Amino acid sequence: MNSALPSTTVLPSIQRVLKSLKVGHKFSIARPAGSGDAWWLCQLARASQQTIVVICADPLETRRLRDETRLFDTELRISLFPDWETLPYDSFSPHQDLISERLQTLHRLSQSQVDILFVPLTTALYRVTPPSFLAAYTFSFKKGERLNEQALRDQLVLANYNHVSQVTASGEFSVRGSIIDIFPMGSTVPYRIDLFDDEIDTIRSFDVDTQRSIYPVNEINLLPGREFPMDQEARHQFRARFREIFEGDPSRALPYKDVGNGINFAGIEYYLPLFFEETATIFDYIPSSSLCLSTGDLDSVMQQFWQDTQSRYNFLKVDRERPILPPEQLFLSPEQFYLQLKELARLSFDPQLTSTEITAAPDVAVLRRQEQPFMRLQQLLEQGDSQVILCADSAGRRETLLQLLQEEQLRPSQVFDKLNDFIAEPQDFGLAIAPIQKGFVLNLKEINHQHQARQAAQLIILTENDLYPGTSSMAQRRRKKQEQHSNVEAMVRDLSELREGDPVVHVQYGIGRYQGLVHMDVGDGLVEMLQLEYANQTKLYVPVSQLHVISRYSGADPESAPLHLLGSGQWDKA
């Protein structure tokens, strides 16, 4: 049974959208069911050949759509402009990874390298650094170029990079003789520059955990380390504008003193306008030809945001040691926000409309108390007029589902590593890895007017949440991951009690036995390593600086702990 959806097919709903959209006007359309909205967005981006800007009232929905569009179309350039994840006027700064992702997204937008941009509504209200700052403080260097080490060090400090002994996070650099390690903002990996005299001999990415090289590159781009400058001119402007806005003796204000001393104090982001003559908004980075899609109740979310922000301002503005800027200087008002939207062609999902192209997945919930728990799925497959793909959240879950299905005599025609592999060559029933939230149905007769009777009438995409409604394994894993990250200190204290022969768990490689400390030369001098032994007496060496990836084995009998085999993927499936 061949697919009835050729790659060149443009959905009728998208054809209507593209014909109707005009700058300054809003067009409403039915929202596709389940995670079909993410699939539909990919089709829209492909058909329009324009940047699609998606503004979501719900921040969690923003990330879901970002993750799922990346699963449905791996070739589209998809970016998220994340929130700082702090409350207005908080006295602590955003996580460095969030700043890195924000700067990377702004840079990509300025270079016209984004096909779909996702932005939480409240994040779109924040004023941001102007494009001129990114252009002035972004630089690059190539293999073979001459490099003045001291000049580079000074430039990185001015760009708000931190000088450390060992690079582990975005916005850090270290210098050891002729070797310079840099973790650029916006990059997923750090880079090691090896100098021959004053010439760049090699540039290689390297692994933060093992400190070993991964692959060579010819050029790297360096974005600024923060969303504002900290050179002498910027600090002078900050202090001058501070004196203009706030009354009283500025020398008693902590922000004024800290910036004068070159200190990036916690919460400095909420003084961003003082660094620039004029700030920008996310709309200043978006191409004027973009299509804007909004989801959710924007009005009520903006109203609540401004109410909360004004309340926090009224409570905190009396602090003379830390005076704060009025909300109007930091955020767009609802009126200003909608004026910006009027410059774009607008689209919104109307909850009152129902899509006929992409509908809700059928009820295939497992009947736990029945003799045939997968009876509903079996009945669906017996209809024979649909192509069905069941999506597992991970490789381990796929193997578990495969075993359960086989026990019920429900054998998939083929097992896939990716959802797109099934869509390209659909079978009557397939099983793939694709952590999407909710299933949906592509009604091929509605989508393709050239549909033939011998072809499947529907392409049904099911998820684990459809099998087990009310129990989201993805959400459980996210919570577990957060708990692991928040328990780093406990893991380090446990390791201090380890004895040789004790079983331990590596977050990536699984269960092994601790065999003591060794010193190894990895090319940059001697490094103290933990020696771990795995099945078949294979060895793994972990730098002491990476203790956070090791935890103590918590099984019932440490003496008989099952050692994993390195490279086998056992731990990934666990």
Side-chain angles (χ1 to χ4, degrees):
M1 189 178 290
N2 297 321
S3 172
L5 186 61
S7 58
T8 56
T9 299
V10 178
L11 275 64
S13 60
I14 290 178
Q15 293 178 16
R16 293 194 299 272
V17 165
L18 296 180
K19 288 180 181 179
S20 305
L21 280 179
K22 295 180 181 179
V23 173
H25 293 78
K26 184 172 76 169
F27 183 80
S28 297
I29 192 171
R31 182 163 196 160
S35 295
D37 51 5
W39 185 85
W40 188 89
L41 275 171
C42 292
Q43 307 308 306
L44 177 63
R46 287 285 184 183
S48 69
Q49 297 294 304
Q50 295 168 287
T51 300
I52 309 299
V53 181
V54 184
I55 299 178
C56 300
D58 182 356
L60 295 179
E61 182 181 58
T62 314
R63 290 193 174 271
R64 175 189 69 81
L65 287 170
R66 188 275 308 269
D67 294 342
E68 292 179 351
T69 49
R70 285 179 173 175
L71 280 173
F72 289 131
D73 196 323
T74 56
E75 295 181 359
L76 286 175
R77 299 169 297 180
I78 298 169
S79 294
L80 167 69
F81 188 61
D83 194 75
W84 277 338
E85 296 185 4
T86 61
L87 293 173
Y89 305 113
D90 266 345
S91 58
F92 54 87
S93 291
H95 192 280
Q96 195 74 352
D97 289 346
L98 292 173
I99 298 174
S100 175
E101 188 176 1
R102 285 168 61 90
L103 287 168
Q104 180 191 52
T105 298
L106 293 178
H107 179 68
R108 286 178 175 173
L109 284 169
S110 67
Q111 301 297 310
S112 300
Q113 296 175 351
V114 177
D115 295 318
I116 306 179
L117 172 69
F118 293 100
V119 189
L121 171 59
T122 53
T123 306
L125 300 179
Y126 278 66
R127 298 187 181 274
V128 299
T129 186
S132 58
F133 166 71
L134 276 186
Y137 285 82
T138 299
F139 57 98
S140 63
F141 38 79
K142 301 178 181 179
K143 177 182 176 181
E145 288 184 344
R146 294 194 176 279
L147 184 67
N148 184 305
E149 178 191 314
Q150 187 58 47
L152 175 64
R153 190 191 297 238
D154 294 341
Q155 191 171 14
L156 288 170
V157 171
L158 287 176
N160 278 315
Y161 279 70
N162 297 319
H163 188 198
V164 296
S165 59
Q166 181 173 313
V167 168
T168 59
S170 301
E172 295 180 344
F173 77 98
S174 69
V175 180
R176 302 186 307 280
S178 62
I179 296 175
I180 303 172
D181 289 348
I182 305 177
F183 204 142
M185 299 296 284
S187 175
T188 56
V189 292
Y191 295 94
R192 178 161 294 153
I193 302 169
D194 199 345
L195 299 178
F196 181 74
D197 196 11
D198 63 347
E199 183 178 307
I200 299 176
D201 187 33
T202 61
I203 306 175
R204 291 178 174 273
S205 62
F206 68 93
D207 185 273
V208 170
D209 294 335
T210 65
Q211 295 290 304
R212 291 188 177 276
S213 297
I214 304 175
Y215 54 83
V217 297
N218 292 321
E219 180 182 7
I220 57 175
N221 293 313
L222 289 180
L223 298 174
R226 303 293 283 265
E227 296 181 44
F228 52 86
M230 204 62 175
D231 53 25
Q232 191 65 39
E233 181 181 350
R235 287 152 55 190
H236 176 75
Q237 177 160 309
F238 179 101
R239 288 157 65 90
R241 290 179 61 81
F242 192 98
R243 292 192 297 269
E244 291 175 7
I245 294 174
F246 299 111
E247 298 178 354
D249 184 2
S251 63
R252 295 185 178 182
L254 295 177
Y256 186 86
K257 291 190 291 186
D258 285 346
V259 170
N261 294 325
I263 299 173
N264 289 327
F265 60 90
I268 191 173
E269 287 75 16
Y270 288 100
Y271 295 87
L272 182 75
L274 301 185
F275 286 100
F276 304 104
E277 290 292 337
E278 187 175 352
T279 55
T281 70
I282 188 64
F283 297 99
D284 293 311
Y285 288 85
I286 295 170
S288 59
S289 60
S290 301
L291 307 181
C292 181
L293 169 68
S294 58
T295 71
D297 187 351
L298 303 189
D299 291 336
S300 62
V301 171
M302 276 193 288
Q303 183 180 356
Q304 186 64 50
F305 174 82
W306 266 94
Q307 181 179 330
D308 294 343
T309 300
Q310 192 66 51
S311 176
R312 288 179 62 82
Y313 173 72
N314 292 334
F315 179 73
L316 297 170
K317 67 180 181 180
V318 296
D319 187 349
R320 294 184 178 181
E321 286 191 347
R322 192 185 176 95
I324 56 178
L325 293 169
E328 295 77 15
Q329 294 193 30
L330 293 170
F331 312 103
L332 293 177
S333 67
E335 294 76 16
Q336 292 171 322
F337 173 79
Y338 281 120
L339 281 174
Q340 295 282 1
L341 282 189
K342 282 188 176 180
E343 301 298 319
L344 302 172
R346 287 189 61 195
L347 176 67
S348 67
F349 286 139
D350 187 341
Q352 303 300 321
L353 301 177
T354 303
S355 172
T356 57
E357 298 172 343
I358 304 174
T359 54
D363 183 5
V364 293
V366 171
L367 305 172
R368 295 180 178 86
R369 301 180 185 275
Q370 302 292 326
E371 291 185 7
Q372 294 180 303
F374 287 87
M375 179 178 63
R376 290 174 176 170
L377 176 60
Q378 183 176 0
Q379 291 172 347
L380 174 65
L381 296 174
E382 288 174 351
Q383 292 176 8
D385 61 345
S386 304
Q387 295 163 336
V388 180
I389 179 70
L390 177 59
C391 299
D393 290 344
S394 65
R397 288 297 305 161
R398 183 186 63 179
E399 298 306 311
T400 300
L401 285 174
L402 181 60
Q403 182 178 351
L404 291 172
L405 292 170
Q406 289 175 341
E407 290 174 356
E408 299 295 326
Q409 305 303 311
L410 297 174
R411 292 182 174 84
S413 306
Q414 194 170 344
V415 176
F416 300 87
D417 289 331
K418 299 177 182 177
L419 177 60
N420 285 342
D421 295 339
F422 174 85
I423 294 177
E425 298 182 14
Q427 309 290 323
D428 291 342
F429 179 37
L431 181 61
I433 303 171
I436 59 178
Q437 190 175 91
K438 198 168 184 181
F440 57 96
V441 177
L442 297 178
N443 293 302
L444 302 179
K445 290 182 179 180
E446 294 285 339
I447 292 172
N448 184 15
H449 293 309
Q450 297 179 351
H451 180 271
Q452 300 176 16
R454 62 183 176 82
Q455 295 175 317
Q458 295 179 323
L459 179 59
I460 302 176
I461 298 175
L462 302 174
T463 71
E464 289 196 58
N465 292 333
D466 297 317
L467 289 179
Y468 308 104
T471 57
S472 172
S473 58
M474 285 193 294
Q476 291 171 359
R477 279 206 305 278
R478 289 193 189 103
R479 288 194 296 269
K480 187 179 291 185
K481 187 174 181 180
Q482 291 171 352
E483 291 169 0
Q484 289 174 344
H485 281 293
S486 65
N487 199 29
V488 170
E489 293 299 323
M491 287 193 288
V492 172
R493 285 197 296 270
D494 286 345
L495 282 173
S496 67
E497 303 170 1
L498 284 178
R499 299 293 181 268
E500 288 190 21
D502 284 354
V504 296
V505 180
H506 190 288
V507 295
Q508 186 174 354
Y509 300 106
I511 303 171
R513 286 194 182 276
Y514 173 67
Q515 299 294 348
L517 296 173
V518 297
H519 290 84
M520 299 183 67
D521 189 350
V522 295
D524 302 320
L526 291 178
V527 176
E528 195 172 33
M529 302 274 198
L530 282 78
Q531 178 177 286
L532 306 182
E533 184 178 280
Y534 284 78
N536 297 339
Q537 297 185 336
T538 53
K539 300 289 195 297
L540 177 70
Y541 298 93
V542 181
V544 170
S545 61
Q546 303 300 326
L547 287 178
H548 61 275
V549 302
I550 303 295
S551 61
R552 192 164 182 165
Y553 176 73
S554 58
D557 185 5
E559 293 297 324
S560 58
L563 303 186
H564 286 137
L565 181 63
L566 289 178
S568 66
Q570 280 180 287
W571 182 241
D572 291 335
K573 298 177 183 179

